[in-house]
């Protein structure tokens, strides 16, 4: 799970990484009583899970006279179409230099890998593309509890010693928090020392319980409903609804939709052994996604019986057209039931997807 900046900064601070002084608010009215906690110039930062947030208008500068007005303005802005519910107001750092540091796992080597660039900031992606050697990296044994000093030196070149120390502290965060990614961009030097101006932390979902992290995803109403039924469901913004069984089959259905020039409106994996009732709930759920124009049901009967699938589709009674491909256990009976009700059926995944792209227009 990806934490928001303010949550990540709290965890970074626990490992001794310096972060700017700040307050987290949900309403502008909270500012006046807390004014004494932040002095001087400030940075106003939308706490939204959006990449390139600064460039998308999610990071604004203000001073004590304009802080309330600027914060109000940010609450009223959508950042890449995400509403701003929380804002972090921080004392502005007097930045001398911006570095980039990111720790993740090199899956091929089965080792942690640290990336570092001497020119961090909002343009890191472009920097990396333009200049091949702008980002250096080192990887080392996951059994080490510190980054070996000679590797830190190799990684950070002639950056100040405090930068190297901070990179090592970030590695502590990475290990202690079971992270898949721990990143500071920019990691900055100021006249008052080194600070993490921004913070990104993705915790492995498998260790959320151990980490005591409550899942606070901004789920849509339908995603919450899906959770109740135990579906793997993600809402997207295309026009073709997708219902499959097994993550692999469902994912390849999405890929094929892209391939034929369509866009999926969801990913829904009903799971194994779905009976008619589960299928009915799945179809109804997907039909409720606002942008959906047609639904593809692509199910392989194994433990799941295709006649049950057919009954579920029929029972859903949705008005969105449903195009079906079922194969495997009891497929013939399922197809017979659906044919009786006039459902469109095709024999391969390729055909159903092509058809759906056509119907969706
Ligand atoms: P992001 O766009 O989500 O990565 O947001 P960041 O928190 O990284 O902020 C974007 C940019 O705003 C940074 O690269 C800095 O250049 C600038 N910025 C952020 N905080 C401060 C600050 O305290 N002082 C100054 N001078 N600039 C800041
Ligand atoms: Mn950043």
């Amino acid at each position: 799970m990806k934490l928001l900046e303010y949550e990540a900064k709290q965890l970074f601070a626990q490992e001794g990484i310096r972060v700017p002084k700040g307050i987290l608010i949900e309403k502008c009215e909270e500012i006046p009583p807390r004014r004494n906690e932040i002095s001087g110039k400030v940075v106003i930062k939308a706490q939204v899970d959006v990449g390139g947030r600064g460039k998308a208008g999610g990071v604004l500068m203000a001073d004590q006279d304009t802080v309330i007005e600027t914060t109000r303005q940010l609450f009223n802005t959508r950042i890449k179409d995400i509403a701003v519910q929380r804002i972090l107001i921080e004392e502005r750092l007097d930045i001398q230099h911006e570095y980039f540091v990111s720790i993740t796992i090199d899956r091929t080597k089965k080792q942690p890998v640290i990336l570092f660039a001497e020119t961090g900031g909002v343009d890191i992606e472009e920097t990396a593309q333009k200049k091949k050697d702008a980002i250096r990296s080192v990887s080392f044994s996951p059994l080490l509890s510190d980054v070996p000093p000679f590797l830190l030196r190799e990684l950070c070149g002639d950056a100040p010693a405090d930068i190297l120390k901070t990179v090592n502290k970030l590695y502590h965060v990475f290990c202690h928090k079971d992270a898949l990614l721990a990143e500071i961009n920019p990691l900055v030097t100021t006249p008052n020392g080194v600070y993490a101006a921004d913070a990104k932390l993705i915790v492995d979902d498998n260790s959320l319980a151990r980490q005591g992290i409550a899942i606070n995803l901004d789920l849509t109403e339908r995603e919450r409903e899906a959770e109740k039924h135990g579906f793997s469901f993600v809402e997207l913004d295309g026009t073709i609804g997708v219902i499959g069984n097994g993550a692999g089959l469902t994912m390849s259905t999405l890929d094929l939709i892209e391939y034929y020039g369509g866009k999926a409106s969801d990913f829904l994996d009903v799971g194994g052994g779905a009976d008619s009732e589960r299928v009915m709930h799945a179809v109804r759920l997907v039909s409720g996604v606002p942008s959906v124009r047609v639904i593809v049901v692509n199910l392989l009967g194994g433990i799941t019986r295709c006649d049950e699938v057919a009954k579920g589709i029929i029972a859903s009674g949705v008005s969105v057209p449903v195009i079906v491909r079922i194969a495997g256990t009891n497929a013939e009976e399922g197809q017979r039931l659906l044919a009786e009700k006039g459902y469109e059926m095709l024999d391969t995944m390729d055909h159903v997807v092509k058809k759906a792209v056509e119907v969706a227009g």
Side-chain angles (χ1 to χ4, degrees):
M1 186 171 80
K2 188 163 160 200
L3 304 188
L4 292 170
E5 177 190 10
Y6 77 93
E7 299 170 307
K9 277 183 168 164
Q10 281 167 7
L11 300 180
F12 285 16
Q14 284 170 14
E15 294 285 352
I17 295 172
R18 296 220 284 172
V19 300
K21 230 200 236 170
I23 60 171
L24 179 78
I25 57 159
E26 291 180 359
K27 285 196 285 299
C28 283
E29 291 68 47
E30 295 170 47
I31 300 175
R34 301 188 64 184
R35 266 233 136 98
N36 55 348
E37 294 176 50
I38 35 164
S39 56
K41 292 178 175 170
V42 294
V43 187
I44 300 175
K45 313 180 85 176
Q47 298 302 290
V48 288
D49 174 12
V50 160
R53 173 186 55 167
K55 284 189 164 175
V59 178
L60 303 177
M61 304 288 161
D63 55 34
Q64 293 297 320
D65 295 332
T66 53
V67 59
I68 295 181
E69 197 39 48
T70 312
T71 305
R72 178 163 295 125
Q73 188 189 324
L74 189 54
F75 269 126
N76 290 328
T77 316
R78 289 176 83 86
I79 311 300
K80 292 194 180 167
D81 213 32
I82 307 258
V84 178
Q85 285 173 335
R86 275 160 294 202
I87 288 179
L88 181 63
I89 305 178
E90 287 183 337
E91 290 187 352
R92 197 183 314 167
L93 300 165
D94 181 5
I95 297 180
Q96 292 169 322
H97 192 84
E98 300 193 335
Y99 296 90
F100 161 85
V101 56
S102 184
I103 307 180
T104 183
I105 291 166
D106 182 326
R107 286 173 189 267
T108 314
K109 291 187 179 161
K110 301 190 171 93
Q111 290 188 334
V113 55
I114 310 183
L115 310 178
F116 185 88
E118 254 138 41
T119 46
V122 293
D123 289 323
I124 189 69
E125 282 86 2
E126 286 90 61
T127 308
Q129 271 181 357
K130 268 192 234 136
K131 223 171 133 241
K132 276 255 153 355
D133 53 357
I135 296 184
R136 283 192 291 267
S137 72
V138 295
S139 54
F140 49 91
S141 164
L143 300 176
L144 297 171
S145 51
D146 286 288
V147 186
F150 79 95
L151 283 183
L152 269 180
R153 191 39 82 191
E154 188 182 315
L155 182 73
C156 304
D158 41 18
D162 272 351
I163 292 286
L164 277 68
K165 282 186 194 150
T166 309
V167 171
N168 196 45
K169 286 175 186 167
L170 187 65
Y171 179 61
H172 293 162
V173 175
F174 182 78
C175 296
H176 298 162
K177 298 300 164 193
D178 298 318
L180 298 178
L181 180 91
E183 183 175 297
I184 305 175
N185 184 34
L187 169 63
V188 304
T189 49
T190 77
N192 304 317
V194 166
Y195 281 87
D198 192 7
K200 193 182 272 184
L201 190 66
I202 301 178
V203 176
D204 190 329
D205 284 345
N206 294 311
S207 68
L208 291 180
R210 170 156 92 180
Q211 292 295 340
I213 296 173
I215 300 179
N216 65 347
L217 295 173
D218 293 333
L219 296 180
T220 67
E221 196 185 309
R222 277 172 295 279
E223 284 169 338
R224 244 180 271 282
E225 173 78 14
E227 219 165 56
K228 268 193 264 165
H229 295 294
F231 301 143
S232 301
F233 177 71
V234 183
E235 202 165 315
L236 305 167
D237 54 9
T239 51
I240 303 174
V242 177
I243 297 172
N245 60 344
L249 182 66
T250 314
M251 208 54 224
S252 14
T253 311
L254 262 80
D255 285 347
L256 210 55
I257 289 173
E258 283 283 322
Y259 179 78
Y260 284 120
K263 276 198 91 182
S265 62
D266 74 279
F267 168 104
L268 190 153
D269 169 11
V270 287
D275 59 11
S276 63
E277 201 168 309
R278 275 178 78 74
V279 174
M280 177 188 80
H281 285 304
V283 177
R284 286 187 182 165
L285 197 74
V286 171
S287 75
V289 177
S291 57
V292 71
R293 285 197 211 135
V294 54
I295 299 173
V296 170
V297 175
N298 184 14
L299 291 172
L300 195 68
I303 303 169
T304 307
R305 288 166 36 195
C306 293
D307 54 325
E308 283 289 312
V309 172
K311 285 177 195 156
I313 294 171
I314 295 163
S316 70
V318 299
S319 58
V320 185
V322 181
I323 304 176
V324 185
R325 178 247 173 171
I326 42 178
T329 313
N330 291 2
E332 273 174 29
E333 174 62 6
Q335 284 158 359
R336 191 187 62 74
L337 291 169
L338 287 167
E340 250 178 40
K341 300 283 177 191
Y343 279 89
E344 178 139 29
M345 273 170 295
L346 294 152
D347 55 345
T348 68
M349 175 155 151
D350 202 66
H351 292 149
V352 268
V353 169
K354 253 191 196 160
K355 181 75 199 175
V357 172
E358 216 179 285
V359 173

